[in-house]
Amino acid sequence: MAIQGVLRPGYVQLRVLDMEAALVHYRDRIGLDVMMTDDDGLVYLKAYDEFDHHSIILREAPETGMDFMGFKVASEEALDAFARSLRAAGVPVDEIPADEGRYLGRRIGFLAPTGHRFELFASMGRSNACPMIDNPELWHAEPRAMRAQRFDHCLLYGDDIDGTMDIFCRLLGFVLTEQVVAPDGTVIAAFLSCGMKAHDIALVRHEEKGKLHHVSFLLENWNDVGHAADIMSRYNMSVDIGPTRHGITRGQTIYFFDPSGNRNEVFAGGYTFYPDHPVRTWSTDEVGKAIFYYERALNDRFMTVVT
Amino acid sequence: MAIQGVLRPGYVQLRVLDMEAALVHYRDRIGLDVMMTDDDGLVYLKAYDEFDHHSIILREAPETGMDFMGFKVASEEALDAFARSLRAAGVPVDEIPADEGRYLGRRIGFLAPTGHRFELFASMGRSNACPMIDNPELWHAEPRAMRAQRFDHCLLYGDDIDGTMDIFCRLLGFVLTEQVVAPDGTVIAAFLSCGMKAHDIALVRHEEKGKLHHVSFLLENWNDVGHAADIMSRYNMSVDIGPTRHGITRGQTIYFFDPSGNRNEVFAGGYTFYPDHPVRTWSTDEVGKAIFYYERALNDRFMTVVT
Amino acid sequence: MAIQGVLRPGYVQLRVLDMEAALVHYRDRIGLDVMMTDDDGLVYLKAYDEFDHHSIILREAPETGMDFMGFKVASEEALDAFARSLRAAGVPVDEIPADEGRYLGRRIGFLAPTGHRFELFASMGRSNACPMIDNPELWHAEPRAMRAQRFDHCLLYGDDIDGTMDIFCRLLGFVLTEQVVAPDGTVIAAFLSCGMKAHDIALVRHEEKGKLHHVSFLLENWNDVGHAADIMSRYNMSVDIGPTRHGITRGQTIYFFDPSGNRNEVFAGGYTFYPDHPVRTWSTDEVGKAIFYYERALNDRFMTVVT
Amino acid sequence: MAIQGVLRPGYVQLRVLDMEAALVHYRDRIGLDVMMTDDDGLVYLKAYDEFDHHSIILREAPETGMDFMGFKVASEEALDAFARSLRAAGVPVDEIPADEGRYLGRRIGFLAPTGHRFELFASMGRSNACPMIDNPELWHAEPRAMRAQRFDHCLLYGDDIDGTMDIFCRLLGFVLTEQVVAPDGTVIAAFLSCGMKAHDIALVRHEEKGKLHHVSFLLENWNDVGHAADIMSRYNMSVDIGPTRHGITRGQTIYFFDPSGNRNEVFAGGYTFYPDHPVRTWSTDEVGKAIFYYERALNDRFMTVVT
């Protein structure tokens, strides 16, 4: 089979300060479905076009940010192979047994040099609310609110992004698709793909470890990006910037914040990537256009507000 | 690297009755760029968002149809491995040396049980008109006419689709994403992916060998599908059906004909496929909705007009 | 004030065979809001972007079709003036007193030569669900289902369309915007505007009197036309044709049927008309393109199925 | 006829510092067609969907800004009646004879209290490049560049906007559709319609007389607004703000500057206005949302940069 190894971002666990407010945000505004609340009060959600049981996990906590991000891999054998590769490279790997109550198969986890925890898993239970399979209609019911189709990627801020990139590219099979490079050759930002998307994870160099810049959801098109902006203003949600376009990936986008202050993105479009494509490179003097193609300048919030 | 083996459809060579009329169609209406005319009078074209030198080759000939379809593979090693696998399975493979004048590396070719010739190649020269790489703008110049982004896939008609499917799925690493199945279990139509697209090639069971149903081009969105329909009617082009949506793949689509009678498609959308997704299956009593989701019925042309 | 006399189509009363089924259709699929049910069981609905109390009235009856169509005029004085003009031209006019319970001011009514009843009114109560006025948000709540913005126009079939056109153009101030003319000069279809829309009412020559071809609702854009088509197929609603475009008016459209068999249209776009614009004329040999710009041919249903 | 008096904005004459640069901007980026250059070097342009000969006149001059704005009225009789009304109200009116070489009928002109010159005219020659009338196709050739459909309106800054509003509303038949009002009741901004558009001219209170805030062009939809933004960044045009939405009128918009510094707008959407609709009123504490619905804050440029 042509796509092997890591398939895609599978889930992300976020810390929110107030679960009720978070649910209004993720369920009623972004349009995710609540699949389950577990015994610890964690809430599991998914977008309407995802097959797996959940992709977003919310945990009420006194501090915001990301607990961990999980990637789905093609098979249990691939999972074992990644565990071996990581350990061979000196990366400590922990193993978490399958948890049927949470619809989740066994996982392996590791701490990346940027201070982020990543997990890999090969199986998750399928939801009843997943896309139809037999004579499938477009959807069960019309997508709601911002009509998010899937959890798409995260952008993470951390210090040793070279170290984390090395793990993803050399050990996990990701490919660098696009980068911002300083005049001295330092990579400031790196966009990595494990498939045909322009990015599945992105990293920005930053003095602190383990920071989350944003969690991103895919929309169908630019029309839905505008509709999402309408919803944000109608309900006075906190917006960072947009609607705009990224020069990097070409995605059409809005950044906004959940009620706890975690940044979200909804976006559409962006190019299809293939591994024979060249790396696209931006110089720091064009970084404004790289990040916000229409404004051609960064805003301070983009560089400094992380959780 | 996560995507291995066959990457994508790379080129298709079409026979047209009148080159001048064909160029008006493919260049001025669909919006492809003419890259080169070779010494034999073959014309090489590409869409604005493709890196490789060409994707459509037109050959003036007394009969319409497809000469061959070529798939790009990830490496020369992969090419060798596929040659070995095909030969090991009893499929005769020919080898064509690299042709610098045509910007094409060495190829291997084989005749599939449905009577279609396929080629595999690992390298093609990059065009000057390819997407930008350094501080890349969205495009060099605004996309023209129907604004086709890339050659996307072919739908082929033939008798022994089980045999051709077997080669693609067992030897070339394709995955069945969606199918139409008769009550007796016969697969009527099969949609195969080598990556994350809902299909890279599709096969329909048909009494004749080696037939072309359509060559498809990707558009950005439903808005551009409507714009393409405007162009078709403005210039009185021959339309088969659409704008409509496929139940299969969910693509938003129009079928139309080039001046020689070869069917084309322009489409947008469709789901993202991952190899852990289930196969979606349509029964023949719902085949109307499968093919044309809005009309919920096939038209005769769809089933009978092939080249 | 620049727009005087007749402002726009205000309401239409439709006969439906089964009110429950009709409500699923008009409320849950088209997305209208139910404003009131009166003592006679008539149900009053409106679209989310209309100020007046209602625009669609449903009456359960053993036969389908239209009871009457009402136009709003600019003032009570204009209403009196129209009553005088109609009577002076020999058109019998009846008067209906204001009905507060139905939020409706006094009306005048007349029977047109094509057998259709029309009413004129100058005042209607405003709904609580009307668009916001003070620091107005885009909408109270996100538009639902097909997201119809307003009742837009009717197309009516009748015998003496010259007579009805004469009343609308000479007495009510409508302007002919577009027409289909037979080789002998007979007008086959006429599109009339009372403002800047490409049509507020349209008439097609037909052997029977008093027939309804369709009631039309405005959508925001082509994207919503596609979304409406998705909904129609998802819920297996009866579709006539579309998504397509009209040559006449240039509107992007779908025709479909309510559960009783009354034809509806949802459409978007179309040109802005000004009274200094020339009349656009189609010959009968181009009538296919006039009606269905993409198909370039009429379907039988369009010409024969009326209620 | 229902629309009487003033029909619409007909033309605006702009001063540009460099005609060559201006033509690249208005012709190659916005997509207007150059209709004529007169003996004085003035260049006349129109959008593809306009019937009249021209709508934008460019004059090379050492200072930027607007020379005058002209409105088309319904008839020569209406023109005479407006001249009488203006004079009766003490507004000096000059008369300019018809100028066949410029395709323009006789005009009357007056200076408004805000220091802006306005003209009224009843006839202008029709262009060969106007929309088709007999069996009309959608367009002659595909709209180019930003695909502007028409010159739509101007926003003007001046001191005595009460005086200018009085002329437009009391003498010329315009209607106030929307306004921003300070706590003391002062109208800060007023949006006036002569037909069914949410505005045909807008006025903002400002210390200087005779200033131009922007000249606006209509696009088909939000998709074309995004496409216009792509063009602006691709060619490094000077952008003020957008893509965003106005709370006032609900239009989806981008503000940008021509090479001389005159502000332009391209926009789509906005509500349909009827004279029985209530005036919509914004308070100054919500003025951010009124002007830029997504940003919910004004930028300095919007309030201070005028030509």
Side-chain angles (χ1 to χ4, degrees):
Chain A
M1 143 174 68
I3 304 186
Q4 297 176 346
V6 178
L7 299 179
R8 64 173 174 275
Y11 54 74
V12 62
Q13 183 165 312
L14 295 174
R15 297 185 297 270
V16 297
L17 304 180
D18 176 323
M19 186 61 80
E20 278 311 297
L23 286 177
V24 169
H25 177 89
Y26 288 98
R27 179 191 59 209
D28 300 341
R29 301 292 173 248
I30 297 182
L32 305 181
D33 293 316
V34 172
M35 305 306 298
M36 184 179 82
T37 302
D38 73 12
D39 296 343
D40 301 325
L42 277 67
V43 180
Y44 298 73
L45 305 101
K46 72 179 277 294
Y48 78 90
D49 207 27
E50 294 175 317
F51 279 99
D52 284 339
H53 179 266
H54 59 264
S55 56
I56 303 290
I57 310 158
L58 301 178
R59 180 168 74 86
E60 198 170 83
E63 287 193 22
T64 56
M66 180 184 96
D67 282 337
F68 49 78
M69 181 182 180
F71 289 90
K72 190 166 193 182
V73 303
S75 64
E76 298 294 338
E77 295 69 35
L79 195 58
D80 289 331
F82 283 127
R84 282 194 301 272
S85 297
L86 286 161
R87 284 173 176 141
V91 180
V93 172
D94 59 272
E95 307 208 16
I96 307 170
D99 182 346
E100 283 198 11
R102 290 177 178 76
Y103 296 82
L104 196 54
R106 69 186 178 103
R107 290 168 279 166
I108 66 170
F110 65 93
L111 192 68
T114 42
H116 301 93
R117 175 175 170 82
F118 296 102
E119 297 182 354
L120 304 177
F121 69 102
S123 75
M124 186 187 281
R126 191 169 294 163
S127 154
N128 289 333
C130 79
M132 294 170 71
I133 296 168
D134 296 319
N135 295 322
E137 302 286 351
L138 286 182
W139 21 254
H140 288 278
E142 301 149 52
R144 287 176 297 107
M146 293 191 203
R147 311 165 193 153
Q149 298 187 314
R150 67 167 181 241
F151 160 50
D152 191 85
H153 66 269
C154 290
L155 170 56
L156 305 176
Y157 273 40
D159 51 354
D160 183 10
I161 66 171
D162 311 285
T164 298
M165 277 176 67
D166 183 64
I167 289 178
F168 275 85
C169 292
R170 197 166 49 86
L171 303 181
L172 301 181
F174 283 64
V175 180
L176 178 69
T177 63
E178 205 151 350
Q179 60 185 345
V180 181
V181 180
D184 68 358
T186 310
V187 173
I188 304 298
F191 298 79
L192 309 179
S193 176
C194 59
M196 287 167 48
K197 290 160 55 185
H199 59 336
D200 288 292
I201 185 168
L203 300 166
V204 167
R205 194 176 299 274
H206 180 74
E207 64 268 26
E208 293 170 288
K209 272 191 189 300
K211 290 299 179 183
L212 170 68
H213 186 272
H214 70 259
V215 170
S216 184
F217 300 91
L218 183 70
L219 303 185
E220 187 178 346
N221 56 34
W222 173 239
N223 207 72
D224 278 0
V225 173
H227 178 63
D230 289 345
I231 289 176
M232 291 178 205
S233 284
R234 171 65 186 92
Y235 298 112
N236 291 305
M237 296 167 62
S238 175
V239 171
D240 186 0
I241 191 168
T244 184
R245 188 193 275 279
H246 296 303
I248 295 170
T249 76
R250 296 191 207 152
Q252 298 163 311
T253 179
I254 313 176
Y255 286 139
F256 57 110
F257 296 98
D258 76 9
S260 303
N262 294 302
R263 189 186 281 97
N264 292 168
E265 178 187 44
V266 286
F267 82 106
Y271 55 78
T272 300
F273 175 78
Y274 281 102
D276 64 327
H277 286 179
V279 177
R280 299 168 205 224
T281 300
W282 296 80
S283 52
T284 42
D285 58 327
E286 289 286 337
V287 70
K289 208 165 185 176
I291 305 297
F292 300 125
Y293 192 67
Y294 295 153
E295 291 77 7
R296 302 170 230 167
L298 295 182
N299 65 7
D300 280 347
R301 269 194 308 268
F302 183 85
M303 295 309 292
T304 56
V305 176
V306 289
T307 58
Chain B
M1 144 174 66
I3 304 186
Q4 298 175 346
V6 178
L7 299 180
R8 64 174 174 274
Y11 54 75
V12 62
Q13 183 165 310
L14 295 175
R15 296 185 298 270
V16 297
L17 305 180
D18 178 324
M19 186 61 79
E20 278 311 298
L23 286 177
V24 169
H25 178 88
Y26 288 98
R27 178 191 59 209
D28 300 340
R29 302 293 173 248
I30 297 182
L32 306 181
D33 293 315
V34 173
M35 304 307 297
M36 184 178 81
T37 302
D38 73 13
D39 296 341
D40 301 325
L42 277 67
V43 179
Y44 297 73
L45 304 100
K46 73 179 277 293
Y48 78 90
D49 207 25
E50 294 175 317
F51 279 100
D52 284 339
H53 180 265
H54 59 264
S55 57
I56 302 291
I57 309 159
L58 301 179
R59 180 168 74 86
E60 197 169 85
E63 287 194 22
T64 56
M66 180 184 96
D67 281 338
F68 49 79
M69 180 182 181
F71 289 90
K72 191 166 193 184
V73 303
S75 64
E76 299 294 338
E77 295 69 35
L79 194 59
D80 289 332
F82 283 127
R84 281 193 303 273
S85 296
L86 287 161
R87 284 173 177 141
V91 181
V93 172
D94 58 273
E95 306 208 17
I96 307 171
D99 182 345
E100 283 198 12
R102 289 177 178 79
Y103 296 81
L104 196 55
R106 71 187 176 103
R107 290 167 280 166
I108 66 170
F110 64 93
L111 192 69
T114 42
H116 300 93
R117 175 175 170 83
F118 295 103
E119 297 182 353
L120 304 178
F121 68 104
S123 73
M124 186 187 283
R126 193 169 292 162
S127 155
N128 289 332
C130 80
M132 295 169 73
I133 296 168
D134 296 319
N135 295 323
E137 302 287 349
L138 285 182
W139 21 255
H140 288 278
E142 301 150 53
R144 288 176 297 106
M146 293 190 202
R147 310 166 195 152
Q149 298 186 312
R150 69 167 181 240
F151 160 51
D152 191 86
H153 66 268
C154 291
L155 170 56
L156 305 176
Y157 273 40
D159 51 355
D160 183 10
I161 66 170
D162 311 285
T164 298
M165 278 177 66
D166 183 64
I167 289 178
F168 274 84
C169 292
R170 196 165 50 85
L171 303 180
L172 302 181
F174 283 63
V175 180
L176 179 67
T177 63
E178 204 149 351
Q179 60 185 345
V180 181
V181 179
D184 66 359
T186 310
V187 172
I188 304 300
F191 298 78
L192 309 180
S193 176
C194 59
M196 289 167 48
K197 290 160 54 184
H199 57 338
D200 289 292
I201 185 170
L203 301 166
V204 168
R205 195 176 298 275
H206 180 74
E207 63 268 28
E208 293 169 287
K209 271 191 191 300
K211 290 299 180 183
L212 170 68
H213 185 271
H214 70 260
V215 171
S216 184
F217 300 92
L218 183 70
L219 303 185
E220 185 177 347
N221 56 34
W222 174 239
N223 207 72
D224 278 359
V225 173
H227 177 65
D230 289 345
I231 288 177
M232 290 179 206
S233 284
R234 170 65 186 92
Y235 299 112
N236 290 306
M237 296 166 62
S238 176
V239 171
D240 186 0
I241 192 167
T244 184
R245 189 193 275 279
H246 296 303
I248 294 170
T249 76
R250 298 190 206 151
Q252 298 163 311
T253 180
I254 313 176
Y255 285 140
F256 57 110
F257 296 98
D258 76 9
S260 303
N262 294 302
R263 190 187 279 98
N264 292 168
E265 178 187 44
V266 286
F267 83 106
Y271 55 77
T272 300
F273 175 78
Y274 282 102
D276 63 327
H277 286 179
V279 177
R280 300 169 203 222
T281 300
W282 296 80
S283 53
T284 43
D285 57 328
E286 289 285 338
V287 71
K289 208 165 184 175
I291 305 297
F292 302 125
Y293 193 68
Y294 295 153
E295 291 76 8
R296 302 170 230 166
L298 295 182
N299 64 8
D300 279 346
R301 267 193 309 268
F302 182 86
M303 295 308 292
T304 57
V305 176
V306 289
T307 57
Chain C
M1 139 175 73
I3 304 185
Q4 299 175 347
V6 177
L7 298 180
R8 65 173 172 273
Y11 53 74
V12 62
Q13 184 165 309
L14 295 174
R15 296 186 296 270
V16 297
L17 304 180
D18 178 324
M19 186 61 79
E20 276 312 297
L23 285 177
V24 169
H25 177 86
Y26 288 98
R27 180 190 57 209
D28 300 341
R29 300 294 173 251
I30 297 183
L32 305 181
D33 293 316
V34 173
M35 305 307 298
M36 185 178 81
T37 302
D38 74 12
D39 296 343
D40 300 325
L42 277 67
V43 180
Y44 296 74
L45 304 101
K46 71 180 278 294
Y48 78 89
D49 207 26
E50 294 175 316
F51 279 99
D52 285 339
H53 180 264
H54 59 264
S55 56
I56 302 291
I57 310 158
L58 301 178
R59 181 168 73 87
E60 197 170 85
E63 287 194 23
T64 55
M66 180 183 96
D67 282 338
F68 50 78
M69 180 181 181
F71 289 89
K72 191 168 195 184
V73 302
S75 65
E76 298 294 337
E77 294 70 35
L79 195 58
D80 288 331
F82 283 127
R84 282 194 302 271
S85 297
L86 288 161
R87 283 172 177 142
V91 181
V93 172
D94 58 272
E95 307 207 18
I96 306 171
D99 182 346
E100 282 198 12
R102 289 177 177 80
Y103 296 81
L104 195 55
R106 70 187 177 102
R107 289 168 280 166
I108 65 170
F110 66 92
L111 192 69
T114 42
H116 301 93
R117 176 177 169 80
F118 295 103
E119 297 182 353
L120 304 178
F121 69 102
S123 74
M124 186 187 281
R126 193 169 292 163
S127 153
N128 290 333
C130 78
M132 295 170 72
I133 296 168
D134 296 319
N135 295 323
E137 302 286 350
L138 285 182
W139 21 254
H140 288 278
E142 301 150 51
R144 287 176 296 107
M146 292 190 202
R147 310 166 194 151
Q149 299 187 311
R150 68 167 181 240
F151 161 50
D152 191 84
H153 66 269
C154 290
L155 171 55
L156 305 177
Y157 273 39
D159 50 354
D160 183 9
I161 66 169
D162 310 286
T164 297
M165 278 178 67
D166 183 63
I167 289 178
F168 274 84
C169 293
R170 198 165 48 87
L171 304 180
L172 301 181
F174 283 64
V175 180
L176 178 69
T177 63
E178 205 151 350
Q179 59 185 343
V180 181
V181 179
D184 66 359
T186 309
V187 172
I188 303 300
F191 298 79
L192 309 179
S193 175
C194 58
M196 289 167 46
K197 290 159 55 185
H199 58 337
D200 288 291
I201 185 168
L203 301 167
V204 167
R205 196 176 298 275
H206 180 74
E207 62 269 23
E208 293 170 287
K209 273 192 188 302
K211 289 300 181 183
L212 170 69
H213 186 271
H214 71 261
V215 170
S216 184
F217 300 92
L218 182 71
L219 303 185
E220 185 177 347
N221 55 34
W222 175 239
N223 208 71
D224 279 0
V225 172
H227 178 63
D230 290 345
I231 287 176
M232 291 180 205
S233 283
R234 171 65 186 93
Y235 298 112
N236 290 307
M237 296 166 63
S238 176
V239 171
D240 185 0
I241 191 168
T244 184
R245 188 193 275 277
H246 296 302
I248 294 171
T249 78
R250 299 192 205 149
Q252 299 162 311
T253 179
I254 315 176
Y255 286 139
F256 57 110
F257 296 97
D258 77 10
S260 303
N262 294 302
R263 190 187 279 99
N264 291 168
E265 178 187 44
V266 285
F267 83 105
Y271 55 78
T272 300
F273 175 77
Y274 281 101
D276 63 326
H277 286 178
V279 177
R280 299 169 202 222
T281 300
W282 297 80
S283 52
T284 42
D285 57 327
E286 288 286 337
V287 70
K289 208 165 185 176
I291 304 299
F292 300 126
Y293 191 69
Y294 295 154
E295 291 77 8
R296 300 170 231 166
L298 295 182
N299 65 6
D300 280 346
R301 268 193 309 266
F302 181 86
M303 295 309 293
T304 57
V305 176
V306 289
T307 58
Chain D
M1 136 176 74
I3 304 186
Q4 299 175 347
V6 178
L7 298 180
R8 64 175 174 274
Y11 54 75
V12 63
Q13 184 164 311
L14 295 174
R15 295 185 298 269
V16 296
L17 304 181
D18 177 324
M19 185 61 78
E20 277 312 297
L23 286 176
V24 169
H25 178 88
Y26 288 98
R27 179 190 59 208
D28 300 340
R29 301 293 174 249
I30 297 184
L32 305 182
D33 293 315
V34 173
M35 303 307 297
M36 185 178 82
T37 302
D38 73 13
D39 296 342
D40 301 325
L42 277 68
V43 180
Y44 297 73
L45 305 100
K46 72 180 277 294
Y48 78 90
D49 208 26
E50 294 175 316
F51 279 99
D52 284 340
H53 180 265
H54 59 263
S55 56
I56 302 291
I57 309 159
L58 301 178
R59 180 168 74 86
E60 198 170 84
E63 288 193 23
T64 55
M66 180 184 94
D67 282 337
F68 50 78
M69 179 181 182
F71 288 90
K72 191 167 194 184
V73 302
S75 63
E76 299 294 337
E77 294 70 35
L79 194 58
D80 289 330
F82 283 127
R84 282 192 303 273
S85 298
L86 287 161
R87 284 172 176 143
V91 180
V93 172
D94 57 274
E95 307 207 18
I96 306 171
D99 182 345
E100 283 199 10
R102 290 177 177 79
Y103 296 81
L104 194 55
R106 70 186 177 103
R107 290 167 278 168
I108 64 170
F110 66 93
L111 192 70
T114 42
H116 300 93
R117 176 177 169 80
F118 296 103
E119 297 181 353
L120 305 178
F121 68 103
S123 74
M124 187 187 280
R126 192 169 291 160
S127 154
N128 289 333
C130 78
M132 294 169 73
I133 296 168
D134 295 319
N135 295 320
E137 302 287 350
L138 285 183
W139 21 254
H140 289 277
E142 301 150 52
R144 289 176 294 108
M146 293 190 201
R147 309 166 196 151
Q149 299 186 312
R150 69 167 180 239
F151 161 50
D152 191 84
H153 67 268
C154 290
L155 170 54
L156 305 177
Y157 272 39
D159 50 355
D160 183 9
I161 67 171
D162 311 286
T164 297
M165 278 176 67
D166 184 62
I167 290 178
F168 274 85
C169 292
R170 197 165 48 87
L171 303 180
L172 301 181
F174 283 64
V175 181
L176 178 69
T177 63
E178 205 151 350
Q179 59 185 346
V180 181
V181 180
D184 67 359
T186 310
V187 172
I188 304 300
F191 299 79
L192 308 180
S193 176
C194 59
M196 289 167 47
K197 289 159 55 183
H199 58 338
D200 288 292
I201 184 168
L203 300 166
V204 167
R205 196 177 298 274
H206 181 73
E207 63 270 23
E208 294 170 287
K209 273 192 188 303
K211 290 300 179 183
L212 170 69
H213 186 272
H214 71 261
V215 171
S216 183
F217 300 92
L218 182 71
L219 303 185
E220 186 176 346
N221 55 34
W222 174 240
N223 207 72
D224 278 0
V225 173
H227 177 63
D230 290 345
I231 288 177
M232 290 178 208
S233 284
R234 171 64 186 93
Y235 299 113
N236 290 306
M237 296 167 61
S238 175
V239 171
D240 186 2
I241 191 168
T244 183
R245 189 194 276 277
H246 296 303
I248 294 171
T249 78
R250 297 191 205 150
Q252 298 162 313
T253 180
I254 313 176
Y255 286 139
F256 57 111
F257 296 98
D258 76 10
S260 303
N262 294 302
R263 190 188 278 98
N264 292 167
E265 179 188 43
V266 286
F267 83 105
Y271 55 77
T272 300
F273 175 77
Y274 282 102
D276 64 325
H277 286 178
V279 177
R280 300 170 203 222
T281 300
W282 297 80
S283 52
T284 42
D285 58 326
E286 288 286 339
V287 70
K289 209 165 183 174
I291 305 297
F292 300 126
Y293 192 69
Y294 294 154
E295 290 76 7
R296 299 171 234 168
L298 295 183
N299 64 8
D300 281 345
R301 267 194 309 267
F302 182 85
M303 295 308 292
T304 57
V305 176
V306 288
T307 59

